[in-house]
Each structure stands twice: as C-alpha cells, then as structure tokens.
Amino acid sequence: MPRQTPLDAPPSPAPGRTGPLASLRENPGFRALWVSNVFFFGGAWIQTMVLGWIVFETTRSELHLAVFTAVRLAPMLLGPFAGVLSDRYDRVRLLTLACGWALAAAATVSGLESLTHVPYWALVLGGLAIGLAQSPSQPARSALVLSLVGRRNLSNANALNAMAMNMTQVVGPALGGALISAFGAPAALWISSAWYAASLLALWPLRHTERGGTERGGTEQPAAAEPVVAMLVGGLRAVLRNRLAAAVLAVTLAANVFLWPVHQAFMPVFAKESLGLDADGLGWLLTCGGIGGLVGSLVMAALGDFRFKGGLFVYGTAAWAALWALFALSAMSGRLALSFALMTGIGVLSAAFGVLQTTLLLMTTEPAFQGRALGVQELAIGVMPLSSLGLGVAAEYLGVAATTFASALLLVLFLAALALRLPALPRYRGV
C-alpha cells in the first residue's frame, strides 16, 4: 500500500484553534511523543554536563575532553543507515528500543561511578554506549512528527520539540551542577537514568499506531523490502540532487564543523579556565543558553507557518555565529555578566536554527525519502566528533577562546558565500 504523505497525515488543528501550543493541545499522539522527548533530552543534558565535568576533572586536558566528546557523538555517523531504518520500520518501535538501550547504558555508567572511580577509558566507552542510544534514533524521532501533525503544523510542532530540548537544557545542567556540588557525580548520573525510564513510559500511548501516524489497519505501511544498500544509495541521490535540500544540509554541516563542537565539548574549559566557575557555575552558564533556547522556541512556535523561513535560517545562523565570536571575546577578558548574557542570546538563535534545519529539510524533500534525508542530516551533525578533535588540537595550542572566535568568523563567511551562490535558499518561504 502507498506510504502516507503529509497531506494524508492526521488533521491539523482547526483554523480557530491556533497558537504556540496548538499541536500539543489538539494532537494526543504528538503530545505523548513530546513528553517522551522532554525526559529523553533531560537525561541527555544531565549526562552531557556531568560526564564532561568528570572527564575534565580526571584528565585536565582539553584534548582528552575533545576525544571523549568525539566518541560520545560518533554514532551520529550512522545517520544514513538510521534514516533507512526510519523509512523501513515502525518508528515508534525504533524509539522504544532506543529508550530501553539508553536506560540500560546510563544505569551501567551510573552504577560503575557509584562503586568506583571510573578510569578515563571506561568513561569513553560509557559515552559511546549512551551515544548509540541517542543519535541513531533521531531520524525516526523527527520524521514521526510530520506523520503525527501534518505539513501545516510542522513548524509549530518542531518548535515545540525544540522547546522541549531547551527546557531540559535549562533544568538538566543546573540540576546536574547542583547534584555534583551537593551529592557528587553518581547521584546526577542516576537522575539521568530515571529520566530515560520516564521517556520510555511516555511512549506507551503510541504503541497501537502503525509507523506512529495512523491507527493499526490504517493506510501507512513500512517501505517495501528493498535492499538496505539500494535504499541508502537511492535516498542519498534523491536528497543531494535537490539543490535546496542540499543547501540546508550544507548549512547544518558547516555549523557542526565550526561551532557546535564548542558547545558540546569546551564549555567546561570556558567555565573553569576563562571565567573561574565551579561545577555549579557551569550549570548556570549552560542554563542561560537553555533559557534563551526556550524563549527562541516559543517565538518560533508562535510564528507558526510563517513565510520567511529560508531568510531566518541563513541570516539567523550568521547572527548566531557572530554572538559566539563575541562570547569568546568576553570570556577571554573575563567579563562574567556579559558572557552569561551572550550565552542567553546564543540560545535564542540556536533554537531558530534547530527548528528550521529540520523543517526546511522535510519541506524540500519528497515524502518517500524523508527518513533518509533526516539520516543524511544526522550524518552532517555526526561530523562533530571529527571537528571536535580538530578544534581540540587548535584549542590546546591557541586557547579555546581564540579557536572559537576564528571558527565563528569562518561560519559567517561560509553563510555569506552561500547566500550569494544560492539566493533561492534565503528567499524560500515553504508555504
């Protein structure tokens, strides 16, 4: 039977029932997925902060921290294969398996840290195990949104998902830092394990749906049993031949080469070496970014199906990079209050980037290839481990602030060149 297209998806909220929370209010299936995402990303943010702190406390090396981050994020390289699984199998079941694996991996790392002082190599392996639960599930998680809410509410639903991530970015690091200060790292890690368990339970209402979008017996079925390699190659060709989709992926790739590794790997270094903060202070610095992200997500949700999607994606990402350059300068000069304020602004613009990179990719890709398109996006994000290593080497010699400043300027130059070469992207409306 034919796959469900966005036009066949569950009905969007009625015209009279709009607003920032429209998808949550009107769609029980999306509401269940959203609650699951809150707990899943909550566990991930606590672990990102706590494990990064433990690694830097253990090694006192920016390069060792970069290696840990690279291994933690390496499963993103499996993105194209994860996209094939998303197009081929039941997405709800894939997410259930991912939550179960995340719970087991997080509980194992927490138990080891409670029993003994975990050596660096074991922390690296633990990070890899947790990454294997998180990254390969992302194409299914994102594609499921379109199946649940339809095209008209895609921007709203993606913004609400970004809001979930940023809410946990507010709570997770602050909670992780407070728990480290009050009870130690093992308690913070056990909290993250409990969040994964809650995420798994929240998926229960979706168990009676096929592919997450229709009730059992409905019209949407998994893709035909085409060989995995053929599906992978066909999907890559279809996505990369689409100039707009390829350009969106190029922006995602550039952002993850130049700046996202800074946020993922080097914030403990900024906090400890440049700003003189302890674990609690690092938590609050990351919380400022989360608060900004929450505000940005609410703004994006309120905008709904707005017309300047491409322009905001390109120029907003350039402004985001400029704020990172200013943050590097403020940290270098030890201006604590300014650094906290700039991190809040970075959070606002990072929310717009996160919402639009997925929304634009789904809107510019044929429905049959959307899972694989999101898999390629995950691969573009997956270069972060490699770029983390390169930036780690640079930071070891130049300092993390100088490295961040140079990377931010390179991203701005790339976006300016892209806007000149393909003006159709900043002009894209997606309506």
Side-chain angles (χ1 to χ4, degrees), residues 89-171:
Y89 297 110
D90 187 291
R91 289 165 182 157
V92 175
R93 291 179 183 174
L94 290 175
L95 293 186
T96 301
L97 289 173
C99 282
W101 175 268
L103 175 59
T108 300
V109 174
S110 304
L112 289 174
E113 184 66 22
S114 298
L115 295 173
T116 183
H117 181 70
V118 181
Y120 173 71
W121 65 267
L123 291 171
V124 171
L125 289 179
L128 175 62
I130 295 168
L132 285 170
Q134 181 179 352
S135 300
S137 68
Q138 289 305 103
R141 193 180 303 277
S142 298
L144 186 55
V145 174
L146 182 57
S147 297
L148 291 170
V149 304
R151 184 182 178 92
R152 189 171 72 84
N153 279 319
L154 182 60
S155 292
N156 176 264
N158 280 334
L160 290 171
N161 267 337
M163 184 177 70
M165 181 180 289
N166 286 293
M167 282 195 310
T168 57
Q169 189 180 352
V170 171
V171 175

Coordinates of all heavy atoms in Angstrom, one line a residue, residues 89-171:
Y89 N 11.0 0.7 8.9 CA 10.4 0.0 10.0 C 9.5 1.0 10.8 O 9.5 2.2 10.6 CB 11.4 -0.6 10.9 CG 12.3 -1.6 10.2 CD1 13.6 -1.4 9.9 CD2 11.7 -2.9 9.9 CE1 14.4 -2.4 9.3 CE2 12.5 -3.8 9.3 CZ 13.8 -3.6 9.0 OH 14.5 -4.5 8.3
D90 N 8.8 0.4 11.8 CA 7.9 1.2 12.6 C 8.7 2.1 13.5 O 9.5 1.7 14.3 CB 7.1 0.2 13.5 CG 6.0 0.9 14.3 OD1 6.4 1.6 15.3 OD2 4.8 0.7 14.0
R91 N 8.4 3.4 13.4 CA 9.2 4.4 14.1 C 9.0 4.4 15.6 O 9.9 4.7 16.4 CB 8.9 5.8 13.5 CG 9.5 6.0 12.1 CD 8.9 7.1 11.4 NE 9.5 7.2 10.0 CZ 8.9 7.8 9.0 NH1 7.7 8.4 9.2 NH2 9.5 7.8 7.8
V92 N 7.8 4.1 16.0 CA 7.5 4.0 17.5 C 8.3 2.9 18.1 O 8.9 3.1 19.2 CB 6.0 3.9 17.8 CG1 5.8 3.7 19.2 CG2 5.2 5.1 17.2
R93 N 8.4 1.8 17.4 CA 9.2 0.7 18.0 C 10.7 1.0 18.0 O 11.4 0.6 18.9 CB 8.9 -0.6 17.1 CG 7.5 -1.2 17.3 CD 7.3 -2.4 16.4 NE 5.9 -2.9 16.5 CZ 5.5 -3.9 15.8 NH1 6.2 -4.5 14.9 NH2 4.2 -4.2 15.9
L94 N 11.1 1.7 17.0 CA 12.5 2.1 17.0 C 12.8 3.0 18.2 O 13.9 2.9 18.9 CB 12.9 2.8 15.7 CG 12.9 2.0 14.4 CD1 13.1 2.9 13.2 CD2 14.0 0.9 14.5
L95 N 11.9 4.0 18.5 CA 12.1 4.9 19.6 C 12.1 4.1 20.9 O 12.8 4.4 21.9 CB 11.1 6.0 19.6 CG 11.2 7.0 18.4 CD1 10.2 8.1 18.6 CD2 12.6 7.5 18.3
T96 N 11.2 3.1 21.0 CA 11.1 2.3 22.2 C 12.4 1.6 22.5 O 12.9 1.5 23.6 CB 9.9 1.3 22.1 OG1 8.7 2.1 21.9 CG2 9.8 0.5 23.4
L97 N 12.9 1.0 21.4 CA 14.2 0.3 21.6 C 15.3 1.2 22.0 O 16.2 0.9 22.8 CB 14.6 -0.4 20.3 CG 13.8 -1.6 19.9 CD1 14.1 -2.1 18.5 CD2 14.0 -2.8 20.9
A98 N 15.3 2.4 21.4 CA 16.4 3.4 21.8 C 16.3 3.8 23.2 O 17.3 4.0 23.9 CB 16.2 4.6 20.9
C99 N 15.1 4.1 23.7 CA 14.9 4.4 25.1 C 15.3 3.3 26.0 O 16.0 3.6 27.1 CB 13.4 4.8 25.4 SG 12.9 6.4 24.8
G100 N 15.0 2.1 25.7 CA 15.4 0.9 26.5 C 16.9 0.8 26.6 O 17.5 0.6 27.6
W101 N 17.6 1.0 25.4 CA 19.0 0.9 25.4 C 19.7 2.0 26.2 O 20.6 1.8 26.9 CB 19.5 0.9 24.0 CG 21.0 1.0 23.8 CD1 21.8 2.1 23.8 CD2 21.9 -0.1 23.8 NE1 23.1 1.7 23.7 CE2 23.2 0.4 23.7 CE3 21.7 -1.5 23.9 CZ2 24.4 -0.5 23.7 CZ3 22.9 -2.3 23.8 CH2 24.1 -1.8 23.7
A102 N 19.1 3.3 26.0 CA 19.6 4.4 26.8 C 19.5 4.2 28.3 O 20.4 4.5 29.1 CB 18.9 5.7 26.4
L103 N 18.4 3.6 28.7 CA 18.2 3.4 30.2 C 19.2 2.4 30.6 O 19.9 2.6 31.7 CB 16.8 2.8 30.4 CG 16.4 2.4 31.8 CD1 16.6 3.5 32.8 CD2 15.0 1.8 31.8
A104 N 19.5 1.3 29.9 CA 20.4 0.3 30.3 C 21.9 0.8 30.3 O 22.6 0.6 31.3 CB 20.4 -0.9 29.4
A105 N 22.2 1.6 29.3 CA 23.6 2.2 29.2 C 23.8 3.2 30.3 O 24.9 3.2 31.0 CB 23.8 2.8 27.9
A106 N 22.8 4.1 30.6 CA 23.0 5.1 31.6 C 23.1 4.5 33.0 O 23.9 4.9 33.8 CB 21.9 6.1 31.5
A107 N 22.3 3.4 33.2 CA 22.3 2.8 34.6 C 23.6 2.1 34.8 O 24.1 2.1 35.9 CB 21.1 1.8 34.7
T108 N 24.2 1.5 33.7 CA 25.5 0.9 33.9 C 26.6 1.9 34.2 O 27.4 1.6 35.2 CB 25.9 0.1 32.6 OG1 24.9 -0.9 32.3 CG2 27.2 -0.6 32.7
V109 N 26.6 3.0 33.5 CA 27.7 4.0 33.8 C 27.4 4.6 35.2 O 28.4 4.8 36.0 CB 27.6 5.1 32.8 CG1 28.5 6.3 33.2 CG2 28.0 4.6 31.4
S110 N 26.2 4.8 35.6 CA 25.9 5.3 37.0 C 26.3 4.3 38.0 O 26.9 4.7 39.1 CB 24.4 5.6 37.1 OG 23.9 6.5 36.1
G111 N 26.1 3.0 37.8 CA 26.5 2.0 38.8 C 28.0 1.9 38.9 O 28.5 1.9 40.1
L112 N 28.7 2.0 37.8 CA 30.2 1.9 37.9 C 30.7 3.2 38.7 O 31.6 3.0 39.5 CB 30.7 1.9 36.5 CG 30.5 0.5 35.8 CD1 31.0 0.7 34.3 CD2 31.3 -0.6 36.5
E113 N 30.2 4.3 38.4 CA 30.6 5.6 39.0 C 30.3 5.5 40.5 O 31.0 6.1 41.3 CB 30.0 6.8 38.4 CG 30.5 8.1 38.9 CD 32.0 8.4 38.6 OE1 32.5 7.8 37.7 OE2 32.6 9.2 39.3
S114 N 29.2 4.9 40.9 CA 28.8 4.8 42.3 C 29.8 3.8 43.1 O 30.0 4.0 44.2 CB 27.4 4.3 42.4 OG 26.5 5.2 41.8
L115 N 30.3 2.8 42.4 CA 31.1 1.8 43.0 C 32.6 2.1 43.1 O 33.3 1.7 44.0 CB 30.9 0.4 42.3 CG 29.5 -0.2 42.4 CD1 29.4 -1.4 41.5 CD2 29.1 -0.5 43.9
T116 N 33.1 2.8 42.1 CA 34.5 3.1 42.0 C 34.8 4.3 41.2 O 33.9 4.9 40.6 CB 35.2 1.9 41.3 OG1 36.6 2.1 41.3 CG2 34.7 1.7 39.9
H117 N 36.0 4.8 41.2 CA 36.4 5.9 40.4 C 36.7 5.4 39.0 O 37.7 4.7 38.7 CB 37.7 6.5 41.0 CG 38.2 7.7 40.2 ND1 37.5 8.9 40.2 CD2 39.3 7.9 39.4 CE1 38.2 9.8 39.5 NE2 39.2 9.2 38.9
V118 N 35.8 5.8 38.1 CA 35.8 5.2 36.7 C 37.0 5.8 36.0 O 37.2 7.0 35.9 CB 34.5 5.5 36.0 CG1 34.6 4.9 34.6 CG2 33.4 4.9 36.8
P119 N 37.9 5.0 35.4 CA 39.0 5.5 34.6 C 38.6 6.1 33.3 O 37.4 5.9 32.9 CB 39.9 4.2 34.3 CG 38.9 3.1 34.4 CD 37.9 3.5 35.5
Y120 N 39.4 6.9 32.7 CA 39.1 7.7 31.5 C 38.6 6.8 30.4 O 37.6 7.1 29.8 CB 40.3 8.4 31.1 CG 40.1 9.1 29.7 CD1 39.3 10.2 29.6 CD2 40.8 8.7 28.6 CE1 39.1 10.9 28.4 CE2 40.6 9.3 27.4 CZ 39.8 10.4 27.3 OH 39.6 11.1 26.1
W121 N 39.2 5.6 30.1 CA 38.8 4.8 29.0 C 37.4 4.2 29.2 O 36.7 4.1 28.3 CB 39.8 3.6 28.8 CG 39.9 2.6 30.0 CD1 40.8 2.7 31.0 CD2 39.0 1.5 30.2 NE1 40.5 1.6 31.9 CE2 39.5 0.9 31.4 CE3 38.0 0.9 29.5 CZ2 38.9 -0.2 31.9 CZ3 37.4 -0.2 30.0 CH2 37.8 -0.8 31.2
A122 N 37.1 4.0 30.5 CA 35.7 3.5 30.8 C 34.7 4.6 30.6 O 33.6 4.3 30.1 CB 35.6 2.9 32.2
L123 N 35.0 5.8 30.9 CA 34.1 6.9 30.7 C 33.9 7.1 29.2 O 32.8 7.4 28.7 CB 34.7 8.2 31.2 CG 34.7 8.3 32.8 CD1 35.5 9.6 33.2 CD2 33.3 8.4 33.3
V124 N 34.9 6.9 28.4 CA 34.8 7.0 26.9 C 33.9 5.9 26.4 O 33.0 6.2 25.6 CB 36.2 6.9 26.2 CG1 36.1 6.8 24.7 CG2 37.0 8.1 26.6
L125 N 34.0 4.7 26.9 CA 33.2 3.6 26.4 C 31.7 3.8 26.9 O 30.8 3.5 26.1 CB 33.7 2.2 27.0 CG 35.0 1.7 26.4 CD1 35.3 0.4 27.0 CD2 34.8 1.5 24.9
G126 N 31.5 4.4 28.1 CA 30.2 4.7 28.6 C 29.6 5.7 27.7 O 28.4 5.7 27.4
G127 N 30.3 6.8 27.3 CA 29.8 7.8 26.4 C 29.4 7.2 25.1 O 28.4 7.6 24.5
L128 N 30.2 6.3 24.6 CA 29.8 5.6 23.3 C 28.5 4.9 23.4 O 27.7 4.9 22.5 CB 31.0 4.7 22.9 CG 30.7 3.9 21.6 CD1 30.5 4.8 20.4 CD2 31.8 2.9 21.4
A129 N 28.4 4.1 24.5 CA 27.1 3.3 24.7 C 25.9 4.2 24.7 O 24.9 3.9 24.1 CB 27.2 2.5 26.0
I130 N 26.0 5.3 25.5 CA 24.9 6.3 25.5 C 24.6 6.9 24.2 O 23.5 7.1 23.8 CB 25.1 7.3 26.6 CG1 25.2 6.6 28.0 CG2 24.1 8.4 26.6 CD1 25.7 7.5 29.1
G131 N 25.7 7.3 23.5 CA 25.5 7.8 22.1 C 24.8 6.9 21.2 O 24.1 7.3 20.3
L132 N 25.1 5.6 21.3 CA 24.4 4.6 20.4 C 22.9 4.6 20.7 O 22.2 4.1 19.8 CB 25.0 3.2 20.7 CG 26.4 3.0 20.1 CD1 27.0 1.7 20.6 CD2 26.3 3.0 18.5
A133 N 22.5 5.0 21.8 CA 21.1 5.0 22.1 C 20.4 6.3 21.6 O 19.3 6.3 21.1 CB 20.8 5.0 23.6
Q134 N 21.2 7.4 21.6 CA 20.6 8.7 21.3 C 20.6 9.0 19.8 O 19.5 9.3 19.2 CB 21.3 9.8 22.1 CG 20.7 11.2 21.8 CD 21.5 12.3 22.6 OE1 22.3 12.0 23.5 NE2 21.2 13.5 22.3
S135 N 21.8 9.0 19.2 CA 21.9 9.6 17.8 C 21.2 8.8 16.8 O 20.4 9.4 15.9 CB 23.4 9.7 17.5 OG 24.0 10.6 18.4
P136 N 21.3 7.4 16.7 CA 20.6 6.7 15.6 C 19.1 6.8 15.6 O 18.4 6.5 14.7 CB 21.1 5.3 15.8 CG 22.4 5.4 16.5 CD 22.2 6.6 17.4
S137 N 18.5 7.2 16.8 CA 17.0 7.3 16.8 C 16.5 8.6 16.3 O 15.3 8.8 16.1 CB 16.6 7.1 18.3 OG 17.0 8.2 19.1
Q138 N 17.4 9.6 16.0 CA 16.9 10.9 15.7 C 16.1 11.0 14.4 O 15.1 11.7 14.3 CB 18.1 11.9 15.7 CG 18.7 12.2 17.1 CD 17.6 12.7 18.0 OE1 17.1 12.0 18.9 NE2 17.2 14.0 17.8
P139 N 16.5 10.3 13.3 CA 15.7 10.4 12.1 C 14.3 9.9 12.3 O 13.3 10.6 11.8 CB 16.4 9.5 11.1 CG 17.9 9.6 11.5 CD 17.8 9.6 13.0
A140 N 14.1 8.8 13.0 CA 12.7 8.3 13.3 C 12.0 9.3 14.2 O 10.8 9.6 14.0 CB 12.8 7.0 14.0
R141 N 12.7 9.9 15.2 CA 12.0 10.9 16.1 C 11.5 12.1 15.3 O 10.4 12.6 15.5 CB 13.0 11.3 17.2 CG 12.4 12.1 18.3 CD 13.5 12.4 19.4 NE 14.2 11.2 19.8 CZ 13.8 10.4 20.8 NH1 12.6 10.7 21.4 NH2 14.5 9.4 21.1
S142 N 12.3 12.6 14.4 CA 11.9 13.8 13.6 C 10.9 13.5 12.6 O 10.0 14.3 12.4 CB 13.2 14.4 13.0 OG 14.1 14.8 14.0
A143 N 11.1 12.4 11.8 CA 10.1 12.0 10.8 C 8.7 11.7 11.4 O 7.7 12.0 10.7 CB 10.6 10.8 10.0
L144 N 8.7 11.2 12.6 CA 7.4 10.9 13.2 C 6.6 12.1 13.5 O 5.3 12.0 13.4 CB 7.7 10.2 14.6 CG 6.6 9.6 15.4 CD1 5.7 8.7 14.6 CD2 7.1 8.9 16.7
V145 N 7.2 13.3 13.7 CA 6.5 14.5 13.9 C 5.6 14.8 12.7 O 4.4 15.1 12.9 CB 7.4 15.7 14.2 CG1 6.7 17.0 14.3 CG2 8.2 15.4 15.5
L146 N 6.1 14.7 11.5 CA 5.3 15.1 10.3 C 4.2 14.1 10.2 O 3.0 14.5 9.8 CB 6.2 15.0 9.1 CG 5.5 15.4 7.7 CD1 4.9 16.8 7.8 CD2 6.5 15.3 6.6
S147 N 4.4 12.8 10.5 CA 3.3 11.8 10.4 C 2.2 12.2 11.4 O 1.0 11.9 11.1 CB 3.8 10.4 10.7 OG 4.8 10.0 9.7
L148 N 2.5 12.7 12.5 CA 1.5 13.0 13.6 C 0.8 14.3 13.4 O -0.4 14.3 13.7 CB 2.2 13.0 14.9 CG 2.7 11.6 15.4 CD1 3.6 11.8 16.7 CD2 1.6 10.7 15.7
V149 N 1.4 15.3 12.9 CA 0.8 16.7 12.8 C 0.4 17.2 11.5 O -0.4 18.1 11.3 CB 1.6 17.7 13.6 CG1 1.9 17.2 15.0 CG2 2.9 18.0 12.9
G150 N 1.1 16.7 10.4 CA 0.8 17.2 9.1 C 1.7 18.4 8.7 O 2.4 19.0 9.6
R151 N 1.7 18.8 7.5 CA 2.6 19.8 7.0 C 2.3 21.2 7.5 O 3.2 21.9 7.9 CB 2.5 19.9 5.4 CG 3.5 20.8 4.8 CD 3.3 20.8 3.3 NE 4.2 21.8 2.6 CZ 5.4 21.5 2.1 NH1 5.9 20.2 2.3 NH2 6.1 22.4 1.5
R152 N 1.0 21.5 7.7 CA 0.7 22.9 8.1 C 1.2 23.2 9.5 O 1.6 24.4 9.8 CB -0.8 23.2 8.0 CG -1.2 24.6 8.2 CD -2.7 24.8 7.9 NE -3.5 24.3 8.9 CZ -3.8 24.9 10.0 NH1 -3.4 26.1 10.3 NH2 -4.7 24.4 10.9
N153 N 1.2 22.2 10.3 CA 1.7 22.5 11.7 C 3.1 22.0 12.0 O 3.5 21.8 13.1 CB 0.7 21.8 12.7 CG -0.5 22.7 12.9 OD1 -0.4 23.9 13.0 ND2 -1.7 22.1 12.9
L154 N 3.9 21.7 10.9 CA 5.2 21.2 11.1 C 6.1 22.1 11.8 O 6.8 21.8 12.7 CB 5.8 20.8 9.7 CG 7.2 20.2 9.7 CD1 7.2 18.9 10.6 CD2 7.7 19.9 8.3
S155 N 6.1 23.4 11.4 CA 7.0 24.4 12.1 C 6.6 24.5 13.5 O 7.4 24.6 14.4 CB 6.8 25.8 11.4 OG 7.4 25.7 10.1
N156 N 5.3 24.6 13.8 CA 4.8 24.7 15.2 C 5.3 23.5 16.0 O 5.8 23.6 17.1 CB 3.3 24.8 15.2 CG 2.7 24.8 16.6 OD1 2.3 23.8 17.1 ND2 2.7 26.0 17.3
A157 N 5.1 22.3 15.5 CA 5.5 21.1 16.2 C 7.0 21.0 16.4 O 7.5 20.6 17.5 CB 4.9 19.8 15.5
N158 N 7.8 21.3 15.4 CA 9.2 21.3 15.5 C 9.7 22.3 16.5 O 10.6 22.1 17.3 CB 9.9 21.5 14.2 CG 9.9 20.3 13.3 OD1 9.9 19.2 13.8 ND2 10.0 20.5 12.0
A159 N 9.0 23.5 16.6 CA 9.4 24.5 17.6 C 9.1 24.0 19.0 O 9.8 24.2 19.9 CB 8.6 25.8 17.3
L160 N 7.9 23.3 19.1 CA 7.6 22.7 20.4 C 8.6 21.6 20.8 O 8.9 21.5 22.0 CB 6.2 22.1 20.4 CG 5.1 23.2 20.3 CD1 3.7 22.5 20.1 CD2 5.0 24.0 21.6
N161 N 9.1 20.8 19.9 CA 10.1 19.9 20.2 C 11.4 20.6 20.6 O 12.1 20.1 21.5 CB 10.4 19.0 19.0 CG 9.6 17.7 19.0 OD1 9.1 17.3 20.0 ND2 9.4 17.1 17.8
A162 N 11.7 21.7 19.9 CA 12.9 22.4 20.3 C 12.7 23.0 21.7 O 13.7 23.1 22.5 CB 13.2 23.5 19.3
M163 N 11.5 23.4 22.0 CA 11.2 24.0 23.3 C 11.4 22.9 24.4 O 12.0 23.1 25.4 CB 9.8 24.5 23.4 CG 9.4 25.1 24.7 SD 7.7 25.8 24.7 CE 6.8 24.3 24.7
A164 N 11.0 21.6 24.0 CA 11.3 20.5 25.0 C 12.8 20.4 25.2 O 13.2 20.2 26.4 CB 10.7 19.2 24.4
M165 N 13.6 20.4 24.2 CA 15.0 20.3 24.3 C 15.6 21.4 25.2 O 16.4 21.2 26.0 CB 15.7 20.2 23.0 CG 17.2 20.0 23.1 SD 18.0 20.0 21.5 CE 17.5 18.4 20.9
N166 N 15.1 22.6 24.9 CA 15.6 23.8 25.6 C 15.1 23.8 27.1 O 15.9 24.3 27.9 CB 15.3 25.0 24.8 CG 16.2 25.2 23.6 OD1 17.4 25.3 23.7 ND2 15.6 25.1 22.4
M167 N 13.9 23.4 27.3 CA 13.5 23.3 28.7 C 14.4 22.4 29.5 O 14.8 22.7 30.6 CB 12.1 22.8 28.8 CG 11.0 23.8 28.5 SD 9.4 23.3 29.0 CE 9.2 21.7 28.3
T168 N 14.8 21.2 28.9 CA 15.7 20.3 29.6 C 17.1 20.9 29.6 O 17.8 20.5 30.6 CB 15.7 18.9 28.9 OG1 16.1 19.1 27.5 CG2 14.3 18.3 28.9
Q169 N 17.4 21.7 28.7 CA 18.7 22.4 28.7 C 18.8 23.4 29.9 O 19.9 23.6 30.5 CB 19.1 23.1 27.4 CG 20.5 23.6 27.3 CD 20.8 24.3 26.0 OE1 19.9 24.2 25.1 NE2 21.9 24.9 25.9
V170 N 17.6 23.9 30.2 CA 17.6 24.8 31.4 C 17.7 24.0 32.7 O 18.5 24.3 33.6 CB 16.2 25.6 31.4 CG1 16.1 26.3 32.7 CG2 16.2 26.6 30.2
V171 N 16.9 22.9 32.8 CA 16.8 22.1 34.0 C 18.0 21.2 34.2 O 18.6 21.1 35.2 CB 15.5 21.3 34.0 CG1 15.5 20.4 35.3 CG2 14.3 22.2 34.0

